[in-house]
Amino acid sequence: MKCSEVIEKIEEMCPLNAACEWDNPGLVTGDAQSEIRSIMIALDATDEVIEEAVKQRVDMLLTHHPLIFGKIRKINTDDIIGKRLIKLIHNGINCYAAHTNFDVKAMASLAASMLGLEAPEVLEVTAVRDGVEEGIGRVSDVYESSAMVWIEKLKASFELENVIVYGDTDKIVKRVAISPGSGKGMIEHAVAKKADLLITGDIGHHDGLDAVEAGITVVDAGHYGLEYVFIDYMAKFLERECSDVRIITCKSGVPYKIL
């Protein structure tokens, strides 16, 4: 199966035009005409992940986060990103990223479903297509309970050992928002949608304080903590759509320790 054919399957599910303007999804390195016999799926193209891809001799590395975001003026081994790019190219590994296009088309609904949110609406609308809103995150009315009930449900659903909470865990919650990934920019949307609880990742100190002042309890489950579900979702998708291709998953785990 050619790389272009694999990409076509991925982009049928999460087209590039669904991505945010600042994003950089798509084929980061490689040859669209090359043959793909094996694909490794990971959240990030870290040194560890790329080394495993080389070890497994895969033809393609599919990640959620793009290896390249900003401008690159030089590609050499003195630079972390440059070193990774060189290793991928040297070993003939095509590297493809499905980022906010996946967030919009699959991640938001998947996370809401795992949390048990019923009939959720879009948290941050990024586009309206054929009269249907699409975008980042989801928000929904829920049965009235304490924030702690939802925190425990989150930890069980996403298999999390711990989370960071800003605000009152005894707060009565009637409306829950969830937005995998970096969530500091989602606070204003959660406030606008009248959420009592926002579940997300990468909340900074001042962002957490501001959210509490705005009346929202915020759960920081970590960036990896909510988005690692991308790996199994895409593995099942590619196993179904690319039956002749060997699919390997690489779960590096939470990249930090709480001591």
Side-chain angles (χ1 to χ4, degrees):
M1 191 172 193
K2 289 192 180 296
C3 180
S4 60
E5 294 174 312
V6 176
I7 291 172
E8 184 178 356
K9 294 291 185 182
I10 295 171
E11 293 180 3
E12 282 177 1
M13 187 262 287
C14 49
L16 295 181
N17 64 7
C20 296
E21 291 184 0
W22 51 264
D23 199 9
N24 187 37
L27 187 62
V28 179
T29 67
D31 179 0
Q33 297 307 308
S34 62
E35 285 294 325
I36 303 297
R37 295 170 296 276
S38 57
I39 301 173
M40 176 176 283
I41 306 171
L43 197 68
D44 298 280
T46 62
D47 290 349
E48 177 187 4
V49 167
I50 294 173
E51 186 61 41
E52 184 63 21
V54 172
K55 180 181 176 181
Q56 294 285 348
R57 301 190 179 195
V58 301
D59 304 301
M60 186 174 191
L61 174 61
L62 170 62
T63 66
H64 182 46
H65 298 129
L67 183 54
I68 300 174
F69 266 117
K71 293 180 179 179
I72 291 184
R73 298 183 182 278
K74 298 178 181 178
I75 298 178
N76 58 53
T77 56
D78 293 331
D79 176 74
I80 292 173
I81 301 301
K83 183 170 67 173
R84 292 172 182 170
L85 291 169
I86 289 170
K87 192 159 192 175
L88 286 166
I89 294 169
H90 178 74
N91 287 279
I93 299 174
N94 298 278
C95 186
Y96 186 94
H99 192 208
T100 54
N101 49 325
F102 180 83
D103 289 340
V104 168
K105 291 296 185 178
M107 182 79 84
S109 295
L110 174 61
S113 176
M114 290 179 64
L115 193 60
L117 299 185
E118 298 180 359
E121 58 186 273
V122 175
L123 183 58
E124 179 191 4
V125 177
T126 56
V128 178
R129 303 179 196 279
D130 299 322
V132 178
E133 291 183 342
E134 62 181 35
I136 308 294
R138 294 292 185 266
V139 60
S140 176
D141 292 328
V142 297
Y143 58 86
E144 188 173 318
S145 60
S146 71
M148 195 64 203
V149 168
W150 284 96
I151 292 169
E152 293 298 340
K153 187 172 185 177
L154 167 72
K155 291 171 69 177
S157 299
F158 286 82
E159 301 179 356
L160 303 173
E161 290 187 16
N162 42 56
V163 296
I164 297 171
V165 181
Y166 292 88
D168 184 5
T169 57
D170 293 324
K171 176 187 175 79
I172 296 301
V173 171
K174 299 180 182 178
R175 194 160 167 81
V176 174
I178 184 167
S179 181
S182 181
K184 63 180 182 180
M186 302 307 293
I187 293 173
E188 62 179 295
H189 298 289
V191 171
K193 295 284 187 176
K194 302 186 185 305
D196 303 301
L197 178 70
L198 170 63
I199 297 167
T200 187
D202 292 359
I203 290 293
H205 173 79
H206 296 289
D207 302 307
L209 294 179
D210 291 346
V212 174
E213 286 295 325
I216 296 180
T217 294
V218 177
V219 179
D220 183 342
H223 208 117
Y224 185 92
L226 297 181
E227 290 198 327
Y228 77 92
V229 297
F230 164 87
I231 299 170
D232 284 341
Y233 184 98
M234 290 304 297
K236 291 176 182 177
F237 173 80
L238 291 175
E239 284 168 356
R240 183 174 67 251
E241 298 293 330
C242 309
S243 58
D244 294 334
V245 177
R246 181 171 64 113
I247 306 299
I248 304 166
T249 60
C250 184
K251 297 178 181 178
S252 55
V254 177
Y256 55 82
K257 296 178 181 178
I258 297 177
L259 304 178

